[in-house]
Amino acid sequence: MTETLLLGRRAVREVARYPEATIPTLFIPLFFLAVNIGQVSKTFPSTTPFLHGQGYVAFQLPVSLMFAVATATSGLALVTEIDNGYFDKLLVAPIRRSSIILGRLAADLVRGIGASAFVLLAGLAFGAHVQTGLAGALVIVLLSALFGVAYARFAILVALRTRNVQATNTSFLLFFPLLFLTPNFVPFERLEPVMETLARLNPVSYVIVGLRSLVIEGWDAGKLAVCLAVTVGMGAVLIALSLRAIATYDR
C-alpha cells in the first residue's frame, strides 16, 4: 500500500505540474456540449417528455462528462516511461508491480474528479439543473471519475502490450464508437430498431443513463446500480488483464 501511495503521489504531482496535458482534453467535451445545445435545443424544448421540464443541456451533460473522463493520461504516461527507460528501473525496484499501475490510476481518479466537476459546473452555467441536488452532483462527479479510472485501464493495457506511444495515444479513438452507439442524443425508445439494439448491448449506455437519471429524473436505485455494476465490472476485467500484462512484461 505504501508503494502505491508513493507512486500515486508522484503521478498526481505530474498532473498538477503539467496542466497543459489536461486542459486541452476538456475542450472536446465542452465543444460538443455547446455545439449540440446550439443545434438541437429548439428541436427538443423543455416540454419534451424525456427532458422532464429541463433544457436539452441537461440531457447532453452526461455525454460530455464521459468525454471528459475518458481522456485519462495514465496509459500515455506509462508508455512514455517505457520509451525513456524509467519503467525498467521501476520493474527492478523492490516493489510490487501492481503498485505501478495502481499509482497511475490514483492520479487518474484525482484528475477525473477535477475534470468531471469542471464539466458539471459548465453544464450548470449553460442552464442545467441537477434534480437530485448537491448530493446527486457529488455522486455524478464520483461515478464519472470512477468510470474514467475504469476506462484508463484499457490505455494502460495497450501501453503494456504494444509498448508504442502512437498506439497508446490513439487508443482513445476507440471510445468514439462506444460513445456514439449509445442513447446520447435521444432515449432508447426513440432510436431506430437496429441502433436501439446496438445501444442496449453497449455497456457505456447504462453509465450515461445512470448519470442522466441523477440530472433530470431524480434518485433511481435501479439505474444507479446498473451504472455502478458496469463501471466496476469493466474495471475489474481490464485491471486483471493489465496486472497479467505487467506480471509477464519481461518474459
Side-chain angles (χ1 to χ4, degrees):
M1 181 60 69
T2 302
E3 303 154 0
T4 300
L5 291 175
L6 289 174
L7 291 173
R9 186 170 62 182
R10 170 179 171 268
V12 170
R13 284 201 304 266
E14 287 180 1
V15 173
R17 190 178 299 131
Y18 303 108
E20 60 272 16
T22 299
I23 293 175
T25 64
L26 296 175
F27 172 75
I28 294 177
L30 294 180
F31 173 78
F32 272 96
L33 184 63
V35 169
N36 289 336
I37 293 171
Q39 290 183 340
V40 186
S41 287
K42 289 187 177 180
T43 303
F44 299 114
S46 58
T47 53
T48 305
F50 65 77
L51 293 180
H52 298 270
Q54 291 212 55
Y56 191 70
V57 59
F59 193 84
Q60 273 292 299
L61 183 55
V63 180
S64 294
L65 287 167
M66 292 292 94
F67 262 128
V69 299
T71 53
T73 58
S74 56
L76 188 57
L78 186 63
V79 78
T80 301
E81 291 183 344
I82 292 173
D83 195 50
N84 64 27
Y86 184 76
F87 184 73
D88 291 330
K89 296 179 180 179
L90 290 176
L91 289 181
V92 299
I95 60 175
R96 292 171 299 174
R97 292 189 172 189
S98 61
S99 64
I100 300 174
I101 293 177
L102 296 177
R104 282 291 168 194
L105 292 177
D108 276 331
L109 178 62
V110 173
R111 179 189 170 282
I113 289 174
S116 55
F118 182 80
V119 172
L120 178 59
L121 289 174
L124 296 178
F126 276 123
H129 171 70
V130 179
Q131 191 66 28
T132 50
L134 178 59
L138 294 175
V139 173
I140 289 171
V141 170
L142 182 58
L143 285 176
S144 299
L146 288 176
F147 176 82
V149 172
Y151 189 75
R153 299 167 192 182
F154 176 68
I156 288 177
L157 179 62
V158 173
L160 292 171
R161 289 298 187 188
T162 66
R163 310 181 191 186
N164 182 273
V165 175
Q166 289 79 11
T168 304
N169 196 33
T170 57
S171 63
F172 167 69
L173 295 178
L174 295 177
F175 187 70
F176 277 87
L178 283 176
L179 188 63
F180 284 103
L181 289 175
T182 65
N184 59 332
F185 291 113
V186 292
F188 283 120
E189 58 272 14
R190 293 207 176 190
L191 297 173
E192 288 292 326
V194 174
M195 185 66 181
E196 180 181 357
T197 300
L198 293 174
R200 289 189 182 277
L201 292 174
N202 184 359
V204 178
S205 295
Y206 301 98
V207 179
I208 291 176
V209 168
L211 294 175
R212 189 173 283 154
S213 69
L214 290 167
V215 178
I216 65 177
E217 297 176 21
W219 296 102
D220 189 319
K223 291 179 180 178
L224 291 178
V226 174
C227 172
L228 183 60
V230 167
T231 300
V232 172
M234 183 177 71
V237 171
L238 290 174
I239 192 64
L241 293 174
S242 298
L243 292 176
R244 178 177 174 80
I246 198 171
T248 59
Y249 181 84
D250 48 4
R251 293 181 186 176

